[in-house]
């Protein structure tokens, strides 16, 4: 692994682990993963506009209302279809791959 984004990699690894290591519904796993993802700030990608935009898009999918990201992301994930939740889980895994 590179030296860039160690905090981001740590939180995304925890998110990927939450997605992969549970027998819970995909929505429950996504809620668990969100708690790790939301520890990452967009400022951590200063200097890399492409990653900053990709991360912003991921945040928008997690919580379209930005008042309280954690609460909104839990509510959104709980009401997602399996297809929607899997799509976001895939994006999280792809993003983790990009930063490693």
């Amino acid at each position: 692994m590179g030296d860039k984004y160690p905090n981001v990699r740590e939180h995304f690894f925890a998110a990927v682990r939450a997605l992969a290591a549970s027998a819970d519904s995909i929505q429950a796993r996504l809620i668990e993963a969100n708690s790790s993802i939301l520890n990452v700030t967009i400022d951590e990608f200063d200097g890399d506009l492409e990653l900053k935009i990709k991360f912003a898009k991921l945040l928008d999918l997690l919580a379209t209302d930005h008042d309280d990201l954690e609460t909104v992301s839990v509510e959104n994930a709980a009401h997602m279809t399996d297809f929607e939740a899997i799509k976001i889980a895939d994006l999280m895994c792809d993003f983790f791959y990009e930063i490693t």
Side-chain angles (χ1 to χ4, degrees):
M1 283 192 210
D3 293 333
K4 285 184 106 174
Y5 315 116
N7 183 55
V8 177
R9 282 196 318 271
E10 177 184 337
H11 290 295
F12 267 83
F13 181 76
V16 169
R17 176 176 269 160
L19 292 169
S22 174
D24 291 338
S25 71
I26 186 66
Q27 291 82 0
R29 289 182 279 160
L30 191 57
I31 289 168
E32 182 68 28
N34 287 351
S35 66
S36 295
I37 299 295
L38 294 177
N39 287 313
V40 176
T41 66
I42 200 155
D43 296 336
E44 296 187 62
F45 302 105
D46 284 346
D48 192 331
L49 185 59
E50 185 177 343
L51 282 179
K52 193 176 233 184
I53 291 169
K54 287 180 180 181
F55 185 68
K57 286 181 180 179
L58 182 58
L59 288 179
D60 278 344
L61 290 171
L62 295 176
T64 54
D65 177 357
H66 298 287
D67 288 333
D68 182 357
L69 281 177
E70 188 168 355
T71 301
V72 174
S73 70
V74 168
E75 291 172 3
N76 284 352
H79 294 95
M80 286 180 184
T81 65
D82 287 353
F83 179 78
E84 292 168 325
I86 289 168
K87 178 181 171 185
I88 292 175
D90 282 343
L91 289 173
M92 286 179 180
C93 292
D94 290 346
F95 195 85
F96 177 68
Y97 178 77
E98 260 192 75
I99 60 173
T100 56

